[in-house]
Amino acid sequence: MMANATPSPSARPPGSRRLLVVALALLLLAAAGALAWRFLGAGAAGPSFRVAKVERGNITAVVSASGSLSAVTTVVVGSQISGQIKELFVDFNSQVRKGQLLARIDPETYELKVRQAEADLEAARTQLLNQQANGLTLRSQATRTRIQANDAKSDLDRKESLFNKGFISGAERDKAKFTFDAAAEAVTTAEAQIRAGDAQVANAAAIVKQREAALAGARVDLARTAIVAPVDGIVISRQVDAGQTVAASLNTPTLFSIAQDLREMQVEVAIDESDISRIRSGQRVTFTVDAYPTRTFEGKVRQIRKAAQTLQNVVTYTVVVATENPNLLLVPGMTANVRIVADSREGVLKVPNAALRFRPPGAVAARDVEPAANAANAGGGAGGGDPQARRQRLVDELKLDAAQQARLDEIFAELRARMAELRDVPEADRRTRGERLRGDMRQKINAMLNPEQQRKYAEVVASETGRGGGSSGRVYVDDGGQPKEVALRLGLTDGNATEVAGGALAEGAEVIVGSNAPAAAGSRPAASAPRLPF
């Protein structure tokens, strides 16, 4: 039993232990050699780059925003009279036709007013008839007075003739004259009474018209107790219930909201002031809604409203987008995520934007590192480059005098301080505020220039911001393991790729979009800082 036991390690021969140690040492040396060859070999081969091909294709520049859907025509139905809602005939989503009865206000009070107005009218008409009869009586009396006056006149003429012949005394002639004068005055009085009677008739006729108008008004109010649809459409809002009392005073109470036709709708989009210049009537629009996230709807820009809306110092303009809704999938109030096609290019040479952002480590240190402080010192140059060179460009091209150069330095210093404040601003607001700061700076620079300098400054701004027919940029190609810079003139961009409008870059060329080399300890990846155009 004891003869078959395994010997302990301490009992092994010394040669076996030495062989095991040598084998372990060889394995460690082999692993160390492999690691050294991997790292040293990779270092000798130089950094490897990630590349992408330059190709032809379509580029579409869009402006993204959000808005709310609404009917093209929404009619608010109210009440011009006060009263209690007696009956309701429609509800939410009810299809209505023009003139259809929607609700009825209790008409009892207004029916009584109509009856009272009718009674007042009858009384006025009776009074008119009385005045007209009185007028006829006065005219009859005036006729008799005229006859009496004519008889007195004839008697006076006869007695004048007899008195002249000496047949009667003067007393008889005078008595006949007095009788005629009294008859003439009676005629004048009768005519005055006729005019007074005519005035009373006219007044009675006017009262009749007043009563007729009052009756018509009472009937109109009675008719208004029936609330009818002014247009064809669908009820999208009902704000009253049966039994509720509405009070019409200075503000008309709203009872219903009717969308005239939901097959034609519109989206009211809030566009930032920095993008409004890119919007034109008739531009194609696509949008999505949360209710149908996988479906894309289309429309066109119908109206660009000039009234600015300012909210928290952000200026926006309302753009109305018309869209068709034949299946009635869209309903008012939905939030639409809108993409407005501002411009497009077909079959153009395009380069990935990642290639435009890539900078080799040496180029970053020399040309592209542009933190806010250096950018502000340079006055917000665009396109990357030496800040002092950009400042000098303004001085040289605009021929600024000493006073203008001093003012330029003040503007840049102010911009530097304000740009530093943007470091703590959320990313969503940084772009908008940065655009506003750049716009303010350009206005201040433009204000200190004379007309000729302003014209040249506009050309500088156009060339640096890409608003004058293309901006400049550069990419890098792999030239035997070393990045080689290629200058380009750029055109339209869609955020992922940019049109190549000019430069020594052919279709199919490979441009560097990144590096596979491990970053040095403590180093930061190269990135383009925010560009601040003149």
Side-chain angles (χ1 to χ4, degrees):
M1 297 291 293
M2 296 298 296
N4 294 331
T6 301
S8 63
S10 59
R12 290 177 179 175
S16 298
R17 290 197 301 270
R18 286 195 298 270
L19 182 61
L20 181 61
V21 171
V22 171
L24 292 174
L26 290 176
L27 288 175
L28 292 174
L29 288 174
L35 290 174
W37 177 85
R38 179 178 179 183
F39 287 104
L40 294 177
S48 61
F49 300 108
R50 299 192 308 273
V51 297
K53 286 188 177 182
V54 178
E55 56 186 10
R56 289 192 178 274
N58 301 333
I59 290 182
T60 302
V62 299
V63 175
S64 299
S66 62
S68 60
L69 280 157
S70 63
V72 175
T73 302
T74 300
V75 180
V76 176
V77 181
S79 174
Q80 294 179 274
I81 61 174
S82 301
Q84 188 180 54
I85 300 296
K86 185 176 182 180
E87 295 174 291
L88 283 176
F89 302 100
V90 295
D91 202 350
F92 289 92
N93 302 331
S94 296
Q95 293 284 347
V96 297
R97 305 290 295 178
K98 183 177 181 180
Q100 179 179 338
L101 186 62
L102 306 179
R104 188 185 300 279
I105 296 176
D106 189 355
E108 183 177 358
T109 302
Y110 299 95
E111 289 174 350
L112 294 176
K113 290 182 178 179
V114 169
R115 293 175 186 174
Q116 181 180 353
E118 288 175 346
D120 291 340
L121 177 59
E122 290 299 325
R125 287 174 175 172
T126 301
Q127 183 64 24
L128 175 60
L129 292 176
N130 290 335
Q131 294 298 333
Q132 289 174 343
N134 186 43
L136 293 176
T137 301
L138 293 176
R139 281 182 169 78
S140 177
Q141 293 176 356
T143 301
R144 290 195 300 269
T145 304
R146 291 192 188 94
I147 292 173
Q148 294 173 358
N150 292 334
D151 182 64
K153 174 64 174 172
S154 299
D155 184 62
L156 176 61
D157 291 341
R158 286 194 300 271
K159 289 184 177 181
E160 283 284 352
S161 176
L162 293 173
F163 174 76
N164 293 331
K165 294 179 180 179
F167 295 136
I168 62 174
S169 64
E172 290 183 7
R173 185 202 62 179
D174 293 339
K175 183 180 179 180
K177 185 175 185 306
F178 294 151
T179 301
F180 170 73
D181 291 341
E185 288 298 326
V187 170
T188 303
T189 302
E191 291 176 349
Q193 290 176 347
I194 289 175
R195 289 193 295 269
D198 291 343
Q200 291 177 353
V201 170
N203 182 64
I207 293 176
V208 169
K209 291 182 179 179
Q210 289 178 348
R211 297 296 184 263
E212 289 175 344
L215 176 59
R219 287 174 175 170
V220 168
D221 287 342
L222 178 60
R224 286 173 177 168
T225 59
I227 308 300
V228 298
V231 294
D232 297 343
I234 182 172
V235 178
I236 61 175
S237 175
R238 175 177 63 83
Q239 301 186 18
V240 292
D241 293 306
Q244 182 176 344
T245 300
V246 295
S249 55
L250 296 178
N251 296 323
T252 301
T254 299
L255 306 183
F256 305 93
S257 295
I258 299 177
Q260 185 169 6
D261 187 2
L262 291 184
R263 291 172 297 181
E264 297 288 339
M265 299 193 69
Q266 65 183 22
V267 186
E268 295 186 1
V269 189
I271 301 296
D272 189 86
E273 61 177 328
S274 60
D275 295 325
I276 194 64
S277 62
R278 302 165 60 187
I279 308 302
R280 298 288 184 274
S281 295
Q283 287 177 331
R284 187 171 64 89
V285 178
T286 61
F287 65 92
T288 60
V289 295
D290 293 340
Y292 308 98
T294 61
R295 183 162 184 168
T296 300
F297 300 89
E298 295 187 355
K300 288 185 177 182
V301 175
R302 186 177 67 183
Q303 184 184 57
I304 303 172
R305 296 177 180 172
K306 305 300 183 183
Q309 305 291 331
T310 304
L311 180 61
Q312 296 180 351
N313 294 327
V314 177
V315 180
T316 59
Y317 294 85
T318 300
V319 174
V320 179
V321 176
T323 182
E324 295 183 357
N325 187 29
N327 299 324
L328 301 180
L329 298 177
L330 303 174
V331 295
M334 284 184 171
T335 299
N337 301 309
V338 180
R339 290 166 56 87
I340 302 176
V341 180
D343 201 355
S344 62
R345 300 283 190 275
E346 295 183 357
V348 297
L349 195 65
K350 61 181 183 179
V351 63
N353 284 357
L356 296 171
R357 293 192 296 266
F358 173 77
R359 299 293 180 266
V364 170
R367 303 180 62 176
D368 289 294
V369 174
E370 196 173 323
N374 291 339
N377 284 331
D386 187 4
Q388 291 298 329
R390 291 193 187 88
R391 179 188 181 283
Q392 191 61 38
R393 178 187 178 186
L394 284 179
V395 174
D396 294 342
E397 295 194 15
L398 303 181
K399 295 181 174 55
L400 301 180
D401 56 29
Q404 290 175 325
Q405 293 182 36
R407 175 56 181 157
L408 184 65
D409 292 336
E410 292 177 1
I411 296 174
F412 290 168
E414 179 183 355
L415 177 66
R416 179 176 63 250
R418 298 180 67 181
M419 289 298 296
E421 298 175 357
L422 296 184
R423 296 174 180 173
D424 300 328
V425 175
E427 184 67 26
D429 297 334
R430 190 177 304 164
R431 176 175 175 270
T432 299
R433 297 190 182 184
E435 289 287 346
R436 188 176 296 109
L437 290 178
R438 289 188 282 271
D440 293 343
M441 181 196 64
R442 288 192 290 267
Q443 290 180 0
K444 292 178 181 179
I445 294 177
N446 193 70
M448 73 178 187
L449 304 176
N450 59 43
E452 180 62 24
Q453 290 174 327
Q454 289 176 351
R455 184 185 63 79
K456 293 182 179 179
Y457 179 59
E459 297 176 357
V460 172
V461 171
S463 64
E464 290 291 343
T465 60
R467 295 167 185 163
S471 58
S472 60
R474 61 183 178 279
V475 296
Y476 291 85
V477 297
D478 190 351
D479 186 13
Q482 297 296 326
K484 178 183 177 182
E485 178 182 325
V486 178
L488 301 175
R489 185 165 58 87
L490 306 176
L492 192 66
T493 181
D494 60 4
N496 296 320
T498 301
E499 175 191 4
V500 178
L505 198 63
E507 182 180 359
E510 294 184 339
V511 293
I512 300 174
V513 296
S515 175
N516 292 325
S523 66
R524 299 176 63 184
S528 296
R531 300 193 301 177
L532 305 174
F534 292 121

